[in-house]
Amino acid sequence: MHRLFVGLRPPAEIRQRLLALMGGIPGARWQTDAQLHVTLRFVGEVERRVAEDVALALSNVHCPPFELELHGVGEFDTRGRPNAVWAGVRPHAPLEGLHKKIDQALVRLGLEPERRTYLPHVTLARMNAAAGATSRFLADHAGLASPPFAVGHFLLFESRLGREGASYEAVGRYPLR
């Protein structure tokens, strides 16, 4: 089985800016440079044949290149308990358009459509019940911003879960045109 997702990797200088923010939440599991990405579509676990079909379908997704920038921070929670902090990206419109095209391509393969509302972000840390409060981190970095950066391609990643969290390997690269 192959655990797949489609995403974007911010350029090195943007990732360095994000890595410099990390800290200040006791017990948080901070992402590594290799884990920093914007998810466009989670695929999930699929057989090899389906993984090959996904790779082929993504090569037929067409979208012009666009620019993004970092914008603010936030958190996801489960029943009022934070489980992740993230950096926002904007503008949302080009990401939402690309997300929709990718989703449609995968649905044509027979995969289930994405049901969750799409909120583009870069996960910075994951938290369990033992992690400390996020409020100070969120307040300190609320004004996060970056210069615009070009997005000229998206990637198909294979995710492997391990003791230290997930590791990601890009297994396909798709230019925007």
Side-chain angles (χ1 to χ4, degrees):
M1 296 291 276
H2 299 272
R3 187 172 192 262
L4 304 175
F5 70 91
V6 183
L8 305 172
R9 285 273 290 159
E13 58 274 11
I14 298 298
R15 296 192 315 268
Q16 286 305 313
R17 187 178 288 234
L18 293 172
L19 291 168
L21 300 178
M22 295 181 184
I25 304 174
R29 193 174 70 233
W30 297 98
Q31 301 292 91
T32 65
D33 179 66
Q35 293 171 314
L36 296 175
H37 68 276
V38 176
T39 300
L40 289 164
R41 173 65 153 77
F42 183 71
V43 177
E45 290 197 11
V46 295
E47 303 269 342
R48 180 181 181 150
R49 182 190 55 76
V50 176
E52 292 168 353
D53 291 345
V54 166
L56 182 60
L58 293 175
S59 67
N60 293 315
V61 171
H62 300 284
C63 178
F66 53 89
E67 288 189 334
L68 293 177
E69 59 189 46
L70 297 177
H71 181 73
V73 293
E75 69 182 13
F76 292 124
D77 64 65
T78 304
R79 294 184 213 108
R81 187 184 61 76
N83 58 31
V85 293
W86 47 262
V89 292
R90 71 174 185 189
H92 286 193
L95 284 167
E96 288 169 346
L98 182 54
H99 164 78
K100 186 174 183 174
K101 288 177 181 187
I102 290 167
D103 189 54
Q104 290 169 343
L106 298 180
V107 167
R108 283 193 293 274
L109 289 178
L111 298 177
E112 288 293 315
E114 179 65 65
R115 303 260 186 240
R116 297 175 293 180
T117 301
Y118 182 60
L119 176 63
H121 66 279
V122 179
T123 299
L124 301 177
R126 300 188 187 282
M127 273 89 57
N128 60 25
T134 59
S135 54
R136 177 66 182 231
F137 177 88
L138 297 174
D140 288 349
H141 302 293
L144 174 66
S146 75
F149 56 91
V151 177
H153 66 276
F154 64 93
L155 301 160
L156 176 62
F157 289 94
E158 183 159 0
S159 172
R160 291 180 181 87
L161 302 177
R163 285 183 194 258
E164 303 301 314
S167 64
Y168 309 134
E169 177 186 359
V171 294
R173 186 177 192 278
Y174 306 89
L176 298 179
R177 55 190 182 277

